[in-house]
């Protein structure tokens, strides 16, 4: 059975690129446009891994990760942060919010798939 990946990014182009890379690798993809939408999608989806951006309208990636981690049902889902940000402070803040890993945009599709396979049990 293929793994389900939830991608949360406000950029349609980035969502499309993620969908292509992940579907090509055999994953099922569910998508959300920002943190608020991501938490709504989580109510009906059971993703194996979540990939989220940090900078988004309505609710950023930090708030989204905190929301995911505050729900016992979703607490254990690995979360990969995919962002243009690379400062140590932002990485630490993301870890504190619940991030499992960090990938800088633009992403290499194979490295993304490898990261997903590493964190998805």
């Amino acid at each position: 059975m293929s793994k389900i990946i939830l991608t949360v990014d406000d950029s349609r182009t980035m969502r499309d690129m993620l969908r292509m890379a992940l579907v090509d690798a055999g994953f099922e993809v569910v998508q959300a446009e920002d943190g608020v939408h991501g938490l709504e999608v989580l109510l009906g989806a059971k993703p194996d891994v979540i990939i989220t951006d940090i900078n988004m309208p309505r609710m950023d990636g930090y708030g989204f990760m905190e929301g995911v981690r505050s729900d016992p049902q979703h607490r254990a889902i690995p979360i990969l942060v995919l962002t243009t940000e690379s400062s140590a402070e932002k990485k630490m803040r993301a870890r504190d919010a619940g991030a499992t890993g960090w990938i800088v945009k633009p992403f290499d599709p194979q490295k993304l798939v490898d990261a997903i396979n590493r964190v998805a049990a």
Side-chain angles (χ1 to χ4, degrees), residues 3 5 18 20-27 49 51 80 103 107-120:
K3 294 200 182 317
I5 313 299
L18 283 166
M20 262 192 315
L22 297 172
V23 168
D24 285 352
F27 296 111
V49 177
I51 299 171
L80 295 174
I103 300 165
F107 68 94
D108 173 303
Q110 189 54 54
K111 285 186 178 155
L112 180 66
V113 169
D114 291 345
I116 290 168
N117 288 326
R118 265 197 308 278
V119 299

Side-chain angles (χ1 to χ4, degrees), residues 19-119:
R19 177 181 291 282
M20 262 192 315
L22 297 172
V23 168
D24 285 352
F27 296 111
E28 197 177 313
V29 180
V30 190
Q31 297 190 306
E33 296 168 11
D34 59 31
V36 172
H37 188 215
L39 292 175
E40 289 167 0
V41 169
L42 260 184
L43 297 174
K46 301 250 182 285
D48 295 288
V49 177
I50 297 169
I51 299 171
T52 185
D53 188 13
I54 290 292
N55 300 312
M56 299 180 286
R58 293 205 303 165
M59 179 189 288
D60 67 12
Y62 302 118
F64 170 70
M65 287 186 283
E66 287 163 0
V68 172
R69 293 296 181 232
S70 70
D71 183 338
Q73 204 177 338
H74 302 116
R75 192 169 288 146
I77 301 171
I79 301 174
L80 295 174
V81 174
L82 179 65
T83 181
T84 54
E85 303 285 351
S86 61
S87 75
E89 176 205 345
K90 295 212 168 165
K91 285 183 184 177
M92 184 63 74
R93 187 170 167 207
R95 273 216 196 286
D96 291 346
T100 311
W102 188 277
I103 300 165
V104 177
K105 293 176 186 174
F107 68 94
D108 173 303
Q110 189 54 54
K111 285 186 178 155
L112 180 66
V113 169
D114 291 345
I116 290 168
N117 288 326
R118 265 197 308 278
V119 299

